[in-house]
Amino acid sequence: MSTHPSRPSYAAVLRVPHARRTFAAALAARLSYGTVSLAVLLSVTRATGSYAVSGAVMSLFGAMTVFLMPFRASLIDRHGPRRALPVMAAVYGVLLCALAALTWRPGAHAAAVAGAAALAGACAPPLGPTMRALWADLVPDRALLQRAYSLDGVAEELLYVSGPVLVGALVGFAPPASGILLSALLIVGGTCAFVMSPVMPGPRPAAEKGRRAGVRGLLPPVAVALGVGLTLSGVDLLAAVFAAERSYDPALVPWVLGALSAGSAMGGLVNGAVAWRAHARTRLCWFAVGLGAVVAAGGLAPGLWSLTGAMALAGAFIAPALTTAYLLADESAAEGSRTQAGAWVNTAVNAGCAGGALVTGLLIGRFPLAVCFTAAGATALAAALAAALGGRSPLPAARRREGATVAAGGEGAVARTGAGEGAAGRR
């Protein structure tokens, strides 16, 4: 199904039959994940009058979304996205509407709000992993698949930037809970359009015994995704502390984080355009090393603008690391577990993002800020070491032959957000 020249481009990805229609529908649905977090935070805070309650609700919602994702992805593999995704999206949309109703006006009961948020998170459709598994079906050529994954990751990053802006515009004339209703509309409508694509596969064949993507096969991509998530969330907090300690205007901090995102987007585009000769696992380790080294050095920046430059350079390693992690997970997985394999990478990066700020917060105040930056970078370096030492599971014979063919053509054997699920693809 691949229609591309000898040197594939991003335009070639979108020229693949049905790719534009399918990708656009998936992005419309995934925009819901860019809007829902801020909408839930604002509406729960307004309805309960408590930041503590809104923080607890967000934690429940995030935990149920992230840690149950591999299970939901296994249902996609087992029953096929055309059957499983509409059910998940419908239940998730209904629960979001219930949450919006509970928080529409002040005076909501905290327990009811928390229960609705937790149930909604448990049903969130794994659209990012599903789209990445579908890319592998649409684009069997591994060189072009690298570009498809890079394009997917950069687009998802833009969703997580534009989603909060959209909610901010909406709450200017409507209650914050209207943002939750918008998220429900996006997920249901976008998912319905997504599953109606003519290239949407049915149930995948069950993974054969001994050829399943096991713990050893997924260790390198999952370890690096976890390390990237830990480093990223630590940097978010450290940039704010850096500005406060040196008496910079707090309004400048978003520029530092914006440079990180811009660097990630540029790095993702460049990574997708390069005809890599090194194996994906080797590249994965070096991307993690680059991220960790630059973040650690960022603690030595003399001022906020030099820190901004360092963060832009650090960002250039983020999207390539996550894109390569998804590619390696796809390579390690048998046909019956590819969506689930991608979901484990997605879960790892989101779990890292959730835990990194907590760990960094414990370090700040106890150690000099430069040491805290070094610790944040060290998590990515440790992830690179784990990926280098981690085992690999054997590939199905057909996929080994495919990798060998690509390697013979001058490419590596193996060429997301949100976020993501962005920042890779997070959900």
Side-chain angles (χ1 to χ4, degrees):
M1 299 178 66
S2 175
T3 58
H4 60 278
S6 59
R7 292 186 62 83
S9 66
Y10 287 108
V13 173
L14 298 178
R15 285 198 298 268
V16 171
H18 307 294
R20 279 176 292 186
R21 168 185 170 179
T22 306
F23 188 38
L27 290 179
R30 290 156 75 181
L31 179 58
S32 172
Y33 294 128
T35 60
V36 71
S37 295
L38 180 60
V40 170
L41 177 65
L42 294 176
S43 59
V44 173
T45 301
R46 178 175 181 265
T48 63
S50 170
Y51 285 104
V53 171
S54 62
V57 168
M58 288 301 299
S59 296
L60 275 173
F61 179 74
M64 296 297 282
T65 299
V66 171
F67 293 111
L68 290 180
M69 183 178 290
F71 170 73
R72 296 192 300 272
S74 70
L75 296 178
I76 302 293
D77 282 326
R78 184 180 309 165
H79 301 290
R82 197 183 295 273
R83 293 174 59 188
L85 276 179
V87 175
M88 292 184 192
V91 175
Y92 178 68
V94 168
L95 289 168
L96 285 183
C97 290
L99 182 60
L102 288 170
T103 59
W104 196 264
R105 293 183 177 83
H109 194 283
V113 171
L119 289 173
C123 299
L127 294 166
T130 303
M131 184 65 229
R132 281 182 284 271
L134 186 56
W135 276 126
D137 290 334
L138 283 169
V139 187
D141 181 277
R142 307 299 288 182
L144 192 57
L145 181 60
Q146 173 183 317
R147 286 148 181 82
Y149 274 23
S150 295
L151 180 64
D152 187 280
V154 171
E156 189 170 57
E157 183 73 21
L158 294 176
L159 296 182
Y160 279 88
V161 173
S162 59
V165 175
L166 185 58
V167 172
L170 182 62
V171 299
F173 59 87
S178 61
I180 303 180
L181 291 180
L182 173 64
S183 302
L185 178 63
L186 286 169
I187 200 80
V188 173
T191 300
C192 288
F194 182 44
V195 299
M196 289 173 65
S197 168
V199 295
M200 190 62 62
R204 299 186 184 275
E208 296 181 21
K209 186 177 180 180
R211 284 165 46 175
R212 188 183 301 273
V215 174
R216 296 186 70 226
L218 286 178
L219 177 58
V222 168
V224 168
L226 178 63
V228 169
L230 288 167
T231 300
L232 280 179
S233 57
V235 165
D236 288 351
L237 183 56
L238 289 171
V241 176
F242 185 98
E245 282 193 356
R246 306 195 181 197
S247 301
Y248 287 99
D249 185 347
L252 296 175
V253 174
W255 289 96
V256 180
L257 304 181
L260 189 73
S261 295
S264 178
M266 290 301 299
L269 291 173
V270 171
N271 173 66
V274 172
W276 296 103
R277 294 183 180 274
H279 189 273
R281 190 176 175 196
T282 302
R283 303 199 309 270
L284 182 70
C285 294
W286 282 113
F287 288 144
V289 167
L291 173 63
V294 175
V295 169
L300 303 176
L304 191 65
W305 295 117
S306 54
L307 178 65
T308 301
M311 291 303 100
L313 180 58
F317 295 100
I318 295 171
L322 293 176
T323 297
T324 307
Y326 284 117
L327 282 167
L328 191 55
D330 180 76
E331 179 194 49
S332 301
E335 283 298 317
S337 58
R338 284 161 59 186
T339 308
Q340 188 177 11
W344 276 112
V345 177
N346 202 313
T347 295
V349 68
N350 280 285
C353 288
L358 174 63
V359 174
T360 304
L362 295 175
L363 296 178
I364 292 174
R366 293 177 171 83
F367 299 96
L369 195 58
V371 174
C372 296
F373 270 96
T374 300
T379 59
L381 296 175
L385 179 61
L389 298 177
R392 296 174 62 196
S393 62
L395 291 176
R399 304 185 77 180
R400 285 199 301 271
R401 288 195 297 270
E402 178 186 12
T405 301
V406 174
E411 298 285 349
V414 184
R416 2 194 188 167
T417 204
E421 240 163 75
R426 298 181 184 91
R427 298 176 223 171

